[in-house]
Amino acid sequence: MGEQTEQIGQIDKKLIIIRGLPGSGKSTLSNYLSLTIPNTEICSADHFFENENGYVFDSNLLNQAHDNCWNKYIELIKNNCETIIIDNTNSTIKEYNKYINLGANNGYDPIISRIIETLTIDAIQETAPNSCNVGRDCKVNTKPMQTCIVTGKQ
């Protein structure tokens, strides 16, 4: 009985790392999760570029945007936030490993979610030989066919 009482009193802290290409739905998933999981906060470099005019991206400020995201993450850990979502491209482990390490050192259980978008070729138009290095000029339009979310522990 004592073990159950201790477990009920503990906060099950989660760190959710969302990985995926730009435009794949990371922010949509992050926002959905933040609305459905109580006491959840999102850290995203994209938030740095949001202002009263909407989203205004400047590649020269990308390092500053990621520093801002990291600093927010540290503050959320200090404030013992129950669930933290990292909503960045996170294309390599090097990009998100520091989040996992700091989180693990503070009792956060990491969950990695990777969004994979499957594309279909909608149209290929041949117009001239050798102009796209495959013997023809190609115009390829792609449409998302399926979005797959792969989730697991590191």
Side-chain angles (χ1 to χ4, degrees):
M1 183 72 170
E3 285 182 14
Q4 288 178 337
T5 305
E6 288 176 8
Q7 288 176 351
I8 291 171
Q10 292 178 350
I11 296 174
D12 188 20
K13 298 189 291 187
K14 299 285 182 209
L15 168 62
I16 302 172
I17 308 269
I18 308 290
R19 302 180 62 204
L21 296 174
S24 63
K26 294 180 305 296
S27 295
T28 300
L29 176 60
S30 296
N31 290 328
Y32 173 78
L33 292 174
S34 73
L35 294 173
T36 57
I37 302 171
N39 305 312
T40 298
E41 293 288 335
I42 301 171
C43 293
S44 175
D46 279 346
H47 292 168
F48 182 82
F49 299 106
E50 295 172 355
N51 61 38
E52 63 276 352
N53 298 321
Y55 182 80
V56 183
F57 180 76
D58 181 346
S59 62
N60 295 319
L61 299 175
L62 199 51
N63 286 336
Q64 191 175 347
H66 281 281
D67 288 345
N68 188 60
C69 180
W70 175 250
N71 291 332
K72 179 179 179 179
Y73 178 64
I74 292 170
E75 285 303 310
L76 291 171
I77 286 178
K78 285 180 183 177
N79 292 326
N80 217 21
C81 181
E82 287 182 37
T83 303
I84 303 172
I85 298 172
I86 306 300
D87 170 21
N88 291 324
T89 305
N90 296 308
S91 56
T92 67
I93 194 165
K94 182 181 177 185
E95 293 175 9
Y96 63 86
N97 204 36
K98 68 181 185 177
Y99 291 98
I100 291 173
N101 289 334
L102 183 60
N105 289 337
N106 287 277
Y108 284 84
D109 188 19
I111 298 169
I112 312 297
S113 291
R114 188 170 36 124
I115 299 178
I116 303 169
E117 191 170 35
T118 305
L119 301 174
T120 59
I121 296 175
D122 182 53
I124 297 177
Q125 183 181 34
E126 297 182 18
T127 57
N130 299 321
S131 59
C132 72
N133 299 323
V134 292
R136 63 183 177 259
D137 184 14
C138 302
K139 180 181 178 188
V140 179
N141 297 318
T142 58
K143 291 183 181 176
M145 185 176 87
Q146 177 183 12
T147 299
C148 175
I149 301 168
V150 180
T151 302
K153 297 193 182 217
Q154 183 187 14

